[in-house]
Amino acid sequence: MEEDFYKILGVDKNASGEEIKKAYRKIALKYHPDRNPGNKEAEQIFKKAAEAYGVLGDTEKRTKYDQFGMDGLRSTGTPGYSTFEDIFDAFGDIFGGGSIFEDFFGGGRARGKAARKGASLKCDIEIDFKDVATGVEKKIELTKREICDTCRGTGAREGSQPVACSYCRGKGEVQQSQGFFTLRTTCPKCHGAGKIVESPCTKCGGSGRYPKKSVISIQVPPGVEDSTRLRLTGQGEPGESGAPSGDLYCDIHVKPHPIFKRQGNDVLCEVPVPFAQAALGCTIDVPTLTGNIIQVKIPRGTQNNEVIPIRGEGFPNLHGYGKGNLLVQVIVEVPTKMTPRQEELLREFAELEKKNISPRQKKFFEKMKGLF
């Protein structure tokens, strides 16, 4: 039986991305192998949590998992979990450098002169409230440190090549022995590259990278929540020596709407209704997220703040569980200014109310008498 990733992290299926991240962080801090040396049970819990977060922390993988389980991830060739390198980057403050986390998961970050994954990037995307209902494509301009096309990433001037670092002999790291222990540190001269550029490239200055602007299209899915983080795999900066590119993390910011408010997948709309119409019943026009106007029937005797749900007019569920509702909240308006005729009619109505006390009023007065 495959374990439920939500149960592993101890979160609800409707948990937000931030709640999932906090839950994983809590488990990772508690069961990290460095904090539980020799504890196999803690290692197992830690590894399962990392696998669960690798799926639930990725919007695309989470959607497939919610709809089809692990079969959905396998059928598309998507691994059941993110690389632990991604989790390492997201929670570097937990794992830190030199942790046995690297050995525990069979590698982790490359050491020395081994090729390293490209740097991940972050951007912010602002979308309109109504775009959440349908999803929207956004184009952003990013400046990436791409491989220099003059030196092809070597950092060396045309006609020359980098030479092996004399300090670490091309290993990218230096090794020091202290009794039974061996300490490996990054070479201070070549900074782990294992090579030294003696004649730098005139375009990139020897870094092998050059800033270049690029335009990226980002598909924001329907139902996305404010502060959701999307990950675009491989859209970060290129890696070293053929290593994978980093990822692009996009934080979504939803603009507030002047009429609508979000409540989960439901949309709340406060509609003012004159008190006479609320008492007698009426039909009112109400806007929807798509810009259409629908007619909503207000029953006789509708009270202030009563909510009338309109099914299926809310936001679609981000993970494919149908749509929310439009919640029409009736705000009964009491007039502050009246014509002499209106006041005359209301006074007449008030006299009739004195003779015909409502059950609710009667009950209230009985309770009040009991207090004294």
Side-chain angles (χ1 to χ4, degrees), residues 90-138:
F91 296 92
D93 59 329
I94 296 177
F95 302 129
S99 167
I100 64 169
F101 171 82
E102 300 177 8
D103 300 324
F104 178 64
F105 285 118
R109 290 184 172 178
R111 294 190 214 171
K113 64 177 181 179
R116 290 181 291 183
K117 181 181 177 180
S120 293
L121 303 175
K122 178 182 172 296
C123 70
D124 294 284
I125 299 177
E126 190 174 58
I127 65 174
D128 291 329
F129 192 89
K130 62 181 180 62
D131 291 334
V132 178
T134 58
V136 65
E137 183 181 30
K138 288 286 187 177

Side-chain angles (χ1 to χ4, degrees), residues 4-294:
D4 188 326
F5 285 157
Y6 289 100
K7 289 183 179 179
I8 290 174
L9 295 182
V11 296
D12 186 76
K13 286 192 175 183
N14 294 321
S16 66
E18 189 62 30
E19 289 172 332
I20 289 173
K21 186 174 181 179
K22 286 181 179 178
Y24 172 66
R25 181 187 178 91
K26 184 178 179 180
I27 295 173
L29 282 168
K30 183 176 180 180
Y31 294 102
H32 191 289
D34 281 353
R35 297 187 175 186
N36 300 272
N39 189 333
K40 297 298 181 182
E41 184 180 356
E43 287 185 1
Q44 195 63 22
I45 294 173
F46 180 79
K47 189 171 183 179
K48 286 182 179 180
E51 183 178 0
Y53 179 74
V55 173
L56 302 185
D58 183 293
T59 301
E60 182 181 353
K61 292 178 185 177
R62 182 181 177 185
T63 300
K64 291 175 183 176
Y65 177 73
D66 285 343
Q67 291 178 329
F68 309 108
M70 291 300 291
D71 290 336
L73 298 172
R74 297 190 191 101
S75 63
T76 56
T78 306
Y81 46 86
S82 297
T83 64
F84 292 107
E85 173 75 22
D86 297 331
I87 299 173
F88 194 104
D89 288 338
F91 296 92
D93 59 329
I94 296 177
F95 302 129
S99 167
I100 64 169
F101 171 82
E102 300 177 8
D103 300 324
F104 178 64
F105 285 118
R109 290 184 172 178
R111 294 190 214 171
K113 64 177 181 179
R116 290 181 291 183
K117 181 181 177 180
S120 293
L121 303 175
K122 178 182 172 296
C123 70
D124 294 284
I125 299 177
E126 190 174 58
I127 65 174
D128 291 329
F129 192 89
K130 62 181 180 62
D131 291 334
V132 178
T134 58
V136 65
E137 183 181 30
K138 288 286 187 177
K139 294 184 183 295
I140 62 167
E141 185 177 80
L142 283 178
T143 300
K144 300 182 186 180
R145 294 172 62 251
E146 300 282 1
I147 301 295
C148 176
D149 52 10
T150 299
C151 66
R152 298 180 181 178
T154 66
R157 189 189 300 268
E158 188 175 0
S160 66
Q161 291 291 331
V163 297
C165 174
S166 58
Y167 192 85
C168 65
R169 298 180 182 180
K171 293 181 179 180
E173 60 184 18
V174 291
Q175 183 173 305
Q176 295 176 328
S177 295
Q178 298 177 351
F180 293 103
F181 298 97
T182 299
L183 178 66
R184 292 178 178 177
T185 57
T186 301
C187 175
K189 186 174 183 180
C190 67
H191 305 291
K195 296 180 180 180
I196 297 292
V197 177
E198 295 180 335
S199 300
C201 169
T202 55
K203 183 176 182 178
C204 66
S207 67
R209 304 295 179 103
Y210 192 78
K212 183 179 179 181
K213 290 185 178 180
S214 59
V215 177
I216 298 175
S217 294
I218 299 171
Q219 189 65 46
V220 181
V224 70
E225 296 183 38
D226 185 50
S227 299
T228 295
R229 171 168 285 190
L230 303 179
R231 185 179 73 169
L232 278 68
T233 305
Q235 292 292 342
E237 294 186 347
E240 296 179 356
S241 305
S245 296
D247 301 327
L248 174 61
Y249 292 92
C250 306
D251 290 339
I252 306 300
H253 305 282
V254 182
K255 296 179 185 177
H257 197 278
I259 295 177
F260 300 120
K261 294 179 182 177
R262 183 166 187 169
Q263 292 185 351
N265 290 327
D266 295 331
V267 178
L268 180 70
C269 180
E270 296 181 351
V271 181
V273 176
F275 85 104
Q277 293 183 14
L280 298 173
C282 63
T283 300
I284 61 173
D285 291 335
V286 176
T288 65
L289 287 171
T290 56
N292 297 325
I293 301 295
I294 60 174

